[in-house]
């Protein structure tokens, strides 16, 4: 018996679209601009599909077309495509300019957010350092302990947002040592990770290592 449970998570709906219309919705790599009025055709095609609602479908489509990956693909000379991946008209210049403007604005906002977050973290660290009072020194006999072997060096590389996906194991930079976990959700530049300790945190992609 077919499930009648509706998909409510936007990423799950996008995954469903990638699977159902693979020639139109591209899961990884460079995308292609969609046909004008595609939402209506998509809604009609999925009208009898119990998994998706029209409202959630609109949200998922908006997420797809506002991503940096999609906006970078909206450029002069590129053809729009329909649900079957067939070309159906070249992009107009005003649409190209709008996409480039939207991409630039989004990237500038993300950069400003990162800068503000870093400044706040520095300010908080300085305040904590000033508030901390030195503890009185206590002289205790020190027992000699065997030298510890140095911890093995783990070479990690910064993650790229477009290469991240749900259920992927990653390392999160928290303090001096990275902490392992699994990606739960990705929203724009923020990545939600469930650490191996069970704690779920949201960090920017700059803190994700592979």
């Amino acid at each position: 018996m077919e499930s009648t449970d509706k998909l409510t998570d936007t990423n799950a709906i996008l995954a469903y679209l990638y699977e159902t219309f693979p020639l139109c919705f591209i899961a990884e790599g460079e995308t292609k601009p969609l046909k004008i009025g595609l939402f209506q055709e998509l809604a009609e095609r999925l009208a009898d599909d119990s998994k998706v609602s029209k409202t959630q479908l609109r949200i998922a489509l908006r997420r797809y077309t506002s991503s940096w990956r999609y906006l970078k693909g909206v450029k002069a000379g590129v053809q729009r495509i329909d649900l079957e991946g067939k070309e159906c008209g070249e992009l107009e210049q005003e649409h190209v300019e709008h996409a480039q403007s939207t991409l630039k604005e989004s990237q500038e906002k993300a950069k400003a957010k990162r800068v503000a977050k870093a400044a706040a973290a520095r300010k908080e660290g300085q305040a904590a350092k000033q508030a901390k009072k030195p503890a009185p020194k206590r002289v205790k006999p020190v027992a000699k302990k065997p030298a510890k072997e140095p911890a093995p060096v783990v070479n990690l590389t910064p993650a790229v947002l477009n290469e991240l996906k749900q259920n992927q194991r990653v390392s999160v930079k928290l303090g001096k040592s990275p902490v392992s976990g699994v990606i739960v959700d990705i929203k724009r530049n923020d990545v939600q990770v469930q650490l191996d300790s069970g704690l779920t945190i949201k960090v920017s992609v700059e803190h994700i290592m592979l």
Side-chain angles (χ1 to χ4, degrees):
M1 183 176 179
E2 186 178 351
S3 173
T4 58
D5 293 337
K6 285 189 180 294
L7 298 174
T8 56
D9 179 73
T10 303
N11 288 329
I13 296 174
L14 284 174
Y16 182 64
L17 293 178
Y18 296 148
E19 180 182 354
T20 308
F21 305 99
L23 298 178
C24 178
F25 296 97
I26 301 171
E28 297 181 356
E30 185 174 347
T31 65
K32 294 183 178 179
L34 304 179
K35 173 185 177 181
I36 295 177
L38 185 80
F39 171 76
Q40 189 59 37
E41 292 185 14
L42 185 62
E44 291 174 0
R45 287 282 292 273
L46 298 177
D48 297 328
D49 195 317
S50 60
K51 288 187 176 181
V52 293
S53 69
K54 200 170 182 179
T55 300
Q56 291 297 331
L57 196 61
R58 189 186 299 275
I59 294 173
L61 192 62
R62 188 180 301 119
R63 166 84 67 85
Y64 182 80
T65 55
S66 63
S67 68
W68 291 2
R69 188 166 63 98
Y70 181 87
L71 293 173
K72 288 177 181 178
V74 180
K75 47 193 175 185
V78 176
Q79 293 279 332
R80 292 183 180 274
I81 59 172
D82 60 14
L83 288 175
E84 308 304 328
K86 296 179 181 179
E87 295 183 348
C88 54
E90 188 172 332
L91 285 166
E92 296 182 9
Q93 183 60 30
E94 61 179 300
H95 296 159
V96 174
E97 292 174 356
H98 176 72
Q100 293 175 346
S101 174
T102 302
L103 175 62
K104 182 179 179 181
E105 182 181 351
S106 179
Q107 290 175 330
E108 288 176 348
K109 285 183 178 179
K111 182 179 179 180
K113 187 177 181 180
R114 290 197 301 269
V115 172
K117 190 173 183 179
R122 286 196 301 269
K123 186 176 180 180
E124 184 178 344
Q126 291 172 353
K129 188 175 181 181
Q130 292 175 354
K132 186 177 179 181
K133 295 181 180 179
K137 293 183 179 180
R138 299 176 62 185
V139 179
K140 290 185 177 181
V142 179
K144 291 185 178 180
K145 296 182 179 179
K148 293 183 179 179
E149 295 183 2
V153 177
V154 180
N155 294 322
L156 297 174
T157 57
V160 179
L161 182 62
N162 292 341
E163 297 176 358
L164 296 179
K165 55 187 178 181
Q166 283 185 296
N167 299 322
Q168 180 179 357
R169 285 199 64 81
V170 295
S171 293
V172 183
K173 290 191 295 183
L174 295 176
K176 296 182 179 179
S177 302
V179 180
S180 298
V182 177
I183 292 178
V184 177
D185 192 16
I186 302 172
K187 294 182 178 178
R188 292 187 178 278
N189 197 47
D190 293 330
V191 182
Q192 189 173 354
V193 180
Q194 183 175 18
L195 304 180
D196 289 348
S197 63
L199 178 67
T200 300
I201 62 173
K202 182 181 289 185
V203 296
S204 59
V205 70
E206 291 80 10
H207 293 80
I208 301 296
M209 307 293 286
L210 300 177

